[in-house]
Amino acid sequence: MDKHRQQKHSNFNLYLTTCAANLATVSAGCTMTWTSPTLPKLFQPNDYLTITKEDGAWIGSLLPLGACFGPPLIILIVDIIGKKLSILMCTMIILAHWLVIAMINSLEVIYIARFIAGMAVGIVFNLIPVYIAEISSDETRGFTGSLFLLFLYIGFNIPYIVGPYTSILTLVLVAAAIPLSTMLLFIWVPESPHYLLEKGRKQRAYAALQWLRSYPEKSRVQQEIADLQEMLDKSQDEKLHTGSMIIRMTQRRSLKSLYYGCMLILFQQMAGYNAVVFYSEAIFKEATTISSSLATIICGLVMLTASTVVPLMSKLFRIKHLLYFSTIGCLFFLIILGIYFKFLELGKASESVSWVPIFCIVGYIISHSLGFGPYPWVIVAEIFHPSVKSFSSAFTTSICWFLCFLITRLFTTFVDMLGSSGTFWLFAGFCLIALIFLIVQLPDTQGKSFQEIQDLLGTKGNVIRTEDMKYAHDKSVSKS
C-alpha cells in the first residue's frame, strides 16, 4: 500500500504537466469545430457577416490546409527556443486569431486568420504528443499519450454545446479564453528534459526530471538522466558521422520508423473519420427528426465519453490489441452503414430501420476513439530516433493534415461518383487493409524504453552501425 501511494504521488506532477500541455490541445479542438455551429449562422442574415456556402467551404478547409505547413516551419525554430516556448507560441497565435475574428468583420481577414491558426493547430498536433512522450516514464507513456484524444474531444465539444445557443461573438470570446488559460498555466511547467540535455543544460534537465518524477531518492533520477544522456550521445555520434539529415533519413531504422508512422496516419485518415463526423448532421437528418444542432451534440458527447475510457483501456490492454478492436469495429459499422444506404438508394429502406445510421455512426465513433484515434499518435511520438525526430514528426503530421484536407473536400465527390454506399464501403476497404498491416507488420512498442524501441526497429543495414561509431569515437578520444 505504501509503495502504491508513493508511485501515485510520484506521478502527480507528471499528470499535472500533461494536463497543462493538453490545454493547447483543447484550444486546437475548439478551433477545428468552431465552424460547425458558426457557418449556419453566417449563411443567414446577421449582425456579424453574411457569406455564401462557397465562402463557408473555404473557411472550413483553410484550417487543415494551413495545418499542413505548420509542422515543417516549427523545425526551424523548435531547436532554438525549445518545445515549451514553441507550444506557448502556438497558443498565442490561436488567441490572436480569435481576437482578430472578434474585432474585424471581413471575409478575407477570416480566411487569413483561419489559415494561420491552422498552422498553429498543425504544430500543436506535432509537438504535444512528442513533448508528453519525452516527459513521461516508460510505464506511463501509454496512459499520458492517450489523454491527447480526451482533451481534443473536450475542445470539439465546446463549440458543439455553446455555439448553437449563443451569438457568434460570444462563442469567439469563450474560445479565446482557452488559449489564454493555457498560457497562464503552461508557463510554469518545465521544458522537456530531452531538449535540455541536447542543449547541454544538465542541471536544468535534472531539476525538471526530479520535479516531474517527484522521486524521494536522487539515484533514480540520476539513472534516468544517465540512460537518456547515453541515448542522446549515441544520437549525436550518429549525427557527427553521418552528417546531413538526408543521410540520417536514408538509414534503415529511420526509413522503417517513418514507414510505420506514415502508414498509421494514412489508415487513420482513410478510414473516413473526419468525413463521417463532418457529414454526420446530414446522415442524422435523413434518419431522424431531431435537430441538426442536437445531433452534433450527441456526436460530440459520444466522442468525449468514449475518449474518457481510452486512458483506462491503455492500462488494461496492449495498444496493438486496442488497434485491432478499433479497426474491426470501424470496418463492421462502415459496412452496415453502406448496406443501409444501398437499400436507401434502391428505395427499399423502411422506417423500421431508420435507427441504423444513428447506431452505426455512434458505434463507429466509439470504435475509432478507442484505438485509431489516439494510439497512432502515441506510437508516432515514440518510434522516431532523436536524430531524425523533428523532421519525421513534422512530415507525418503534415501528411495527416493533407489527407484530412483531401478527404473532407472530396467526400461529396466520392458520393457523386460511388454513391453513399460505395463511399462508406471504400472507407471500410481501407480499414480491412489497415487490419492486415497491424497484424503482419506493426511492431509492439508498449512499455519499452526509447532505446529498446530503436533496438526493436533494428540497426542492421544502417549507414554506420552504433558499435562502429562508438569504436571510432573511443579511438579518436584515445588519440587525442
Side-chain angles (χ1 to χ4, degrees):
M1 181 64 70
D2 292 340
K3 183 178 180 181
H4 175 72
R5 287 178 179 172
Q6 179 181 332
Q7 181 62 29
K8 185 177 180 180
H9 171 70
S10 68
N11 288 329
F12 176 80
N13 288 344
L14 170 63
Y15 295 153
L16 179 65
T17 304
T18 300
C19 292
N22 270 315
L23 283 178
T25 309
V26 177
S27 297
C30 186
T31 306
M32 293 167 65
T33 57
W34 171 75
T35 53
S36 180
T38 301
L39 289 182
K41 296 178 182 179
L42 294 176
F43 294 149
Q44 305 297 327
N46 61 85
D47 296 333
Y48 178 76
L49 181 69
T50 303
I51 63 173
T52 65
K53 289 193 174 181
E54 181 67 20
D55 298 331
W58 278 111
I59 291 176
S61 60
L62 278 173
L63 188 138
L65 184 61
C68 298
F69 297 93
L73 288 178
I74 198 62
I75 296 178
L76 303 176
I77 62 175
V78 71
D79 188 57
I80 301 174
I81 67 175
K83 296 179 176 65
K84 176 183 174 179
L85 289 181
S86 297
I87 294 171
L88 285 171
M89 180 190 68
C90 290
T91 59
M92 291 176 62
I93 292 174
I94 294 176
L95 175 61
H97 139 269
W98 290 126
L99 296 178
V100 167
I101 290 177
M103 292 185 294
I104 305 177
N105 302 1
S106 167
L107 181 62
E108 291 75 16
V109 170
I110 293 178
Y111 283 166
I112 297 172
R114 294 294 289 175
F115 183 83
I116 295 176
M119 296 171 65
V121 169
I123 294 171
V124 166
F125 269 71
N126 176 229
L127 279 185
I128 295 297
V130 174
Y131 174 81
I132 292 175
E134 290 183 354
I135 66 173
S136 302
S137 61
D138 299 337
E139 296 78 17
T140 62
R141 197 182 305 127
F143 174 78
T144 55
S146 64
L147 291 174
F148 180 85
L149 188 70
L150 171 62
F151 282 87
L152 181 65
Y153 285 169
I154 291 174
F156 281 179
N157 274 273
I158 292 173
Y160 287 162
I161 296 173
V162 177
Y165 310 105
T166 61
S167 66
I168 295 173
L169 182 59
T170 299
L171 178 57
V172 169
L173 295 178
V174 170
I178 304 171
L180 180 61
S181 301
T182 306
M183 293 166 58
L184 294 176
L185 183 59
F186 189 67
I187 194 172
W188 301 105
V189 304
E191 174 62 90
S192 162
H194 284 228
Y195 174 79
L196 293 172
L197 279 180
E198 285 177 345
K199 296 303 177 182
R201 305 167 189 171
K202 192 168 185 177
Q203 290 300 321
R204 287 188 59 187
Y206 178 91
L209 196 60
Q210 175 70 43
W211 188 85
L212 288 167
R213 300 288 183 266
S214 298
Y215 287 146
E217 61 272 19
K218 296 182 179 180
S219 59
R220 297 180 67 179
V221 181
Q222 292 171 344
Q223 183 59 50
E224 190 169 348
I225 287 288
D227 293 341
L228 181 58
Q229 185 67 62
E230 181 182 0
M231 184 188 70
L232 293 175
D233 288 342
K234 289 181 179 179
S235 172
Q236 186 62 31
D237 286 343
E238 186 169 338
K239 288 181 180 180
L240 292 174
H241 286 83
T242 57
S244 68
M245 177 65 73
I246 295 177
I247 297 177
R248 295 197 297 273
M249 284 303 304
T250 56
Q251 292 183 338
R252 177 184 176 87
R253 177 188 58 210
S254 301
L255 292 175
K256 284 180 67 175
S257 61
L258 187 62
Y259 166 74
Y260 292 136
C262 288
M263 292 299 288
L264 282 170
I265 297 304
L266 171 68
F267 290 127
Q268 181 194 57
Q269 295 300 315
M270 295 306 296
Y273 180 79
N274 289 293
V276 170
V277 171
F278 187 80
Y279 291 98
S280 60
E281 285 192 33
I283 300 172
F284 270 110
K285 189 177 294 185
E286 193 166 354
T288 182
T289 58
I290 65 173
S291 67
S292 58
S293 60
L294 182 57
T296 56
I297 292 175
I298 291 174
C299 284
L301 292 178
V302 168
M303 293 180 203
L304 183 59
T305 303
S307 65
T308 58
V309 184
V310 171
L312 177 62
M313 297 290 283
S314 68
K315 289 192 172 184
L316 297 177
F317 304 98
R318 300 201 68 78
I319 288 178
K320 278 199 71 173
H321 297 163
L322 291 173
L323 287 172
Y324 296 157
F325 167 79
S326 175
T327 308
I328 293 172
C330 291
L331 174 64
F332 171 78
F333 289 112
L334 285 171
I335 290 176
I336 300 300
L337 195 60
I339 292 174
Y340 173 83
F341 272 95
K342 190 64 179 179
F343 276 99
L344 195 66
E345 291 162 5
L346 297 175
K348 297 181 178 180
S350 64
E351 292 185 3
S352 61
V353 294
S354 61
W355 53 269
V356 170
I358 301 176
F359 170 75
C360 289
I361 290 178
V362 169
Y364 176 86
I365 290 173
I366 293 174
S367 299
H368 192 275
S369 299
L370 293 180
F372 245 121
Y375 294 119
W377 295 111
V378 175
I379 296 173
V380 164
E382 62 184 13
I383 61 175
F384 295 131
H385 193 271
S387 64
V388 297
K389 179 177 286 188
S390 59
F391 175 85
S392 299
S393 298
F395 183 82
T396 52
T397 307
S398 294
I399 290 294
C400 171
W401 284 107
F402 181 71
L403 290 171
C404 176
F405 170 74
L406 285 182
I407 294 299
T408 53
R409 288 292 293 177
L410 297 179
F411 179 77
T412 53
T413 304
F414 290 154
V415 172
D416 292 339
M417 294 174 57
L418 306 174
S420 296
S421 58
T423 301
F424 290 122
W425 287 337
L426 175 65
F427 293 149
F430 278 102
C431 288
L432 180 60
I433 299 173
L435 182 62
I436 297 172
F437 165 77
L438 293 172
I439 296 174
V440 176
Q441 292 195 315
L442 186 69
D444 190 352
T445 60
Q446 187 170 355
K448 293 180 171 61
S449 67
F450 283 106
Q451 188 58 52
E452 288 172 336
I453 292 172
Q454 296 307 312
D455 293 339
L456 182 64
L457 292 174
T459 57
K460 183 178 180 181
N462 280 359
V463 175
I464 298 178
R465 296 186 303 130
T466 303
E467 294 83 355
D468 295 338
M469 289 189 298
K470 186 176 186 303
Y471 172 77
H473 175 73
D474 293 342
K475 187 176 181 180
S476 63
V477 170
S478 63
K479 284 184 177 180
S480 62

